[in-house]
């Protein structure tokens, strides 16, 4: 097959794949890791996947049990800690920002930070510095919330040299696992990366059935333009009428 990993078909499969990626990155000497999970929208309504915002996402990330009674947080951080397969990882929690669900987790061999924002950069730098001082520890950020550099006029980190320094800093965190779904060109596209493999993109079938591999992109995450080109190569260009028809059908299927 032309891709390293197929799209995970369940929450537990995704968590397991993320943990394996973190463990592989740790074994390769990667001590600063970034993990982006596609959280199942268990609170979804007809109008909004997350009517309760980031706090509901936190409940799914850190509190909702997976079939093995672990959570996304404990599974991922256990992989990054180097203790995979040795039982549950004991974590101490400290709330950094309750409103934004930024929570720090300290465990043996690992420090994690959920939903870090630009406002939490000092806490992130402090956690990473502690891990740097203890060579046996990994620092893992889970579902970071800042926008990509250059995606808006005034970035989450402000403007000028200050913003550039902070973006340079967060770039020291290797995206060891990425699983994100994007709605574009009237299709659901999944971007997937599990270290040490590179990035792959898939067009998901309707109702989550099946997928089409759009391409492999190495260690660089594909941007919108690259994904659009891959979709066009796989399915051809859609006319305006076809786009409208596809969007009407998607809305009818998903907004009932």
């Amino acid at each position: 097959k032309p891709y390293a990993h197929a799209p995970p078909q369940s929450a537990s499969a995704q968590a397991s794949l993320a943990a394996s990626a973190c463990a592989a990155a740790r074994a390769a000497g990667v001590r600063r890791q970034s993990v982006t999970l596609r959280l199942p929208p268990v609170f979804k309504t007809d109008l909004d996947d997350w009517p309760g915002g980031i706090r509901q996402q936190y409940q799914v990330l850190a509190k909702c049990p997976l079939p093995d009674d672990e959570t996304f947080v404990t599974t991922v951080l256990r992989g990054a800690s180097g203790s995979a397969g040795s039982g549950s990882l004991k974590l101490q929690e400290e709330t950094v920002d309750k409103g934004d669900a930024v929570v720090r987790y300290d465990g043996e061999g690992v420090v994690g930070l959920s939903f870090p924002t630009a406002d939490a950069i000092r806490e992130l730098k402090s956690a990473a510095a502690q891990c740097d001082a203890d060579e046996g520890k990994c620092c893992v950020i889970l579902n970071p919330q800042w926008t990509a550099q250059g995606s808006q006029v005034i970035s989450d980190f402000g403007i000028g040299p200050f913003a550039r320094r902070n973006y340079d800093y967060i770039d020291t965190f290797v995206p060891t696992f990425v699983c994100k779904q994007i709605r574009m060109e009237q299709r659901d596209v999944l971007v997937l990366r599990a270290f040490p493999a590179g990035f792959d993109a898939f067009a998901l079938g309707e109702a989550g059935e099946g997928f089409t591999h759009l391409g492999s992109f190495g260690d660089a995450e594909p941007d919108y333009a690259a994904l659009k080109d891959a979709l066009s190569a796989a399915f051809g260009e859609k006319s305006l009428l076809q786009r409208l028809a596809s969007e009407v059908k998607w809305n009818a299927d998903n907004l009932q």
Side-chain angles (χ1 to χ4, degrees):
K1 58 187 179 181
Y3 48 85
H5 303 282
Q9 298 300 303
S10 66
S12 57
Q14 183 188 179
S16 178
L17 183 58
S20 296
C22 290
R26 178 189 177 91
V30 179
R31 291 292 185 264
R32 293 183 181 181
Q33 303 186 22
S34 175
V35 171
T36 299
L37 296 152
R38 179 179 59 162
L39 300 175
V42 297
F43 298 102
K44 182 177 180 178
T45 67
D46 289 345
L47 299 177
D48 195 339
D49 281 358
W50 301 101
I54 198 72
R55 289 177 143 188
Q56 284 185 340
Q57 294 181 46
Y58 171 75
Q59 290 297 317
V60 175
L61 179 76
K63 302 300 181 182
C64 289
L66 298 170
D68 59 1
D69 290 328
E70 295 278 357
T71 65
F72 278 112
V73 166
T74 57
T75 302
V76 170
L77 295 186
R78 187 175 70 248
S81 73
S83 61
S86 60
S88 181
L89 177 67
K90 294 181 179 179
L91 295 170
Q92 290 186 325
E93 299 182 18
E94 177 187 352
T95 300
V96 176
D97 187 326
K98 186 175 181 180
D100 286 332
V102 183
V103 178
R104 173 170 169 161
Y105 300 89
D106 283 84
E108 185 176 354
V110 69
V111 174
L113 202 65
S114 69
F115 303 109
T117 62
D119 291 336
I121 191 68
R122 288 186 179 178
E123 179 63 32
L124 173 59
K125 289 181 177 180
S126 173
Q130 291 179 33
C131 291
D132 291 345
D134 182 348
E135 294 184 0
K137 278 198 171 185
C138 280
C139 185
V140 182
I141 52 177
L142 297 145
N143 286 39
Q145 296 298 295
W146 44 70
T147 55
Q149 188 172 12
S151 62
Q152 52 192 33
V153 176
I154 300 177
S155 77
D156 289 354
F157 294 105
I159 59 176
F162 178 78
R164 186 164 54 252
R165 284 196 300 270
N166 280 319
Y167 274 113
D168 288 345
Y169 178 78
I170 63 175
D171 281 345
T172 65
F173 287 79
V174 176
T176 53
F177 182 81
V178 176
C179 184
K180 61 171 67 171
Q181 187 170 321
I182 306 163
R183 181 70 182 172
M184 59 180 295
E185 300 296 306
Q186 291 72 52
R187 294 185 186 276
D188 289 319
V189 175
L190 186 79
V191 176
L192 180 65
R193 193 268 171 105
F195 188 94
F199 284 89
D200 285 288
F202 303 87
L204 302 180
E206 295 185 11
E209 295 181 0
F211 58 83
T212 299
H213 183 234
L214 298 176
S216 300
F217 299 86
D219 291 333
E221 182 174 348
D223 60 13
Y224 186 93
L227 292 174
K228 184 178 179 180
D229 288 344
L231 279 170
S232 296
F235 301 104
E237 292 282 355
K238 280 189 174 184
S239 68
L240 178 59
L241 186 59
Q242 287 174 318
R243 291 182 182 184
L244 289 174
S246 295
E247 202 59 30
V248 167
K249 185 179 186 306
W250 185 89
N251 288 334
D253 292 341
N254 290 274
L255 300 180
Q256 295 176 351

